[in-house]
Amino acid sequence: MTIRNIDIKVHPSFLLAVLWVTYFWSGDGLRGYLFGLFILVAVFACVAGHELAHGFVALRYNIAVHDITLLPIGGVARIEQTALTPRREVMIAIAGPLLNIIVALGLSPLVFLIALSRNVHDIFSLLMITQGTDASALILHLWLANVMLALFNLLPAFPMDGGRVLRAALTAMTSRVVATRISVIIGTILAFSLVIAGVYTHDVALPLV
């Protein structure tokens, strides 16, 4: 698929996400499989939108965008490496999370109505609804996916979007090379922190991230 001359590719490892989805909803038979695949497509449409937002802002600054690759853990936009002013780097980096925030805010009234209709008063009870295969579960999955995409990508860990914003802020005070080194160090510390947290909580997802 190509959008505004940006090729959107699916990495072969994406099959792992398909296998995970079919396993997660296997207890609901064919309906579960189809619902899981629909959720997968919808969520990764949000991921593609996140990366396209980066790409569109980059194109606005006449920076070439080679392609976008969808992976089981998210997406990667290959944008031409060129010298950027701090402002432009922030604008490109923040575009993706901003799109997810807008989508999440747009879905929030529906999430509120779902919580009201189910007499749910806490986030844990709300999460239980996502185990279903109805419209409420779909809306909640998309809402949660966009909230998590925004929060995760805003972590100040280079080369995440938050790390690029951090580098842009540091560049205003020091050289770009030093700003990049500091951002990478902070990103590395956060990465090791996730590994330690994953081992401590027995959550394999955190070290994988």
Side-chain angles (χ1 to χ4, degrees):
M1 179 187 296
T2 301
I3 300 176
R4 290 187 59 181
N5 294 322
I6 302 175
D7 292 330
I8 301 178
K9 304 175 181 179
V10 178
H11 194 271
S13 62
F14 192 80
L15 180 61
L16 295 174
V18 176
L19 294 175
W20 180 84
V21 163
T22 54
Y23 170 77
F24 186 83
W25 274 283
S26 60
D28 294 310
L30 180 60
R31 176 186 173 89
Y33 289 130
L34 294 176
F35 182 80
L37 289 175
F38 187 79
I39 286 286
L40 183 66
V41 172
V43 168
F44 273 88
C46 296
V47 174
H50 175 108
E51 300 301 333
L52 281 170
H54 291 310
F56 290 164
V57 176
L59 289 175
R60 183 179 178 184
Y61 292 132
N62 295 316
I63 300 171
V65 181
H66 302 295
D67 55 46
I68 291 171
T69 302
L70 298 180
L71 302 160
I73 59 172
V76 177
R78 285 201 310 134
I79 299 175
E80 180 183 3
Q81 296 300 309
T82 184
L84 292 171
T85 64
R87 182 180 179 277
R88 288 190 174 187
E89 182 164 27
V90 168
M91 294 299 291
I92 294 173
I94 206 70
L98 182 60
L99 175 78
N100 297 126
I101 291 171
I102 291 172
V103 173
L105 287 175
L107 291 172
S108 292
L110 294 176
V111 173
F112 176 76
L113 290 175
I114 291 170
L116 195 64
S117 65
R118 303 288 184 94
N119 195 30
V120 170
H121 304 289
D122 60 89
I123 188 66
F124 299 105
S125 300
L126 196 64
L127 290 175
M128 293 298 294
I129 300 175
T130 62
Q131 297 180 11
T133 55
D134 55 8
S136 294
L138 171 62
I139 292 169
L140 286 171
H141 272 290
L142 290 179
W143 179 75
L144 285 169
N146 281 280
V147 169
M148 294 306 296
L149 278 169
L151 293 178
F152 177 69
N153 280 283
L154 286 174
L155 287 174
F158 193 85
M160 306 295 292
D161 300 331
R164 294 183 182 277
V165 172
L166 174 63
R167 179 173 70 173
L170 292 173
T171 301
M173 298 178 287
T174 184
S175 70
R176 185 174 176 84
V177 173
V178 173
T180 301
R181 287 175 179 170
I182 294 173
S183 301
V184 169
I185 289 171
I186 293 174
T188 303
I189 292 172
L190 284 174
F192 277 110
S193 298
L194 285 175
V195 172
I196 294 170
V199 171
Y200 182 76
T201 61
H202 305 289
D203 185 349
V204 296
L206 291 178
L208 286 175
V209 170

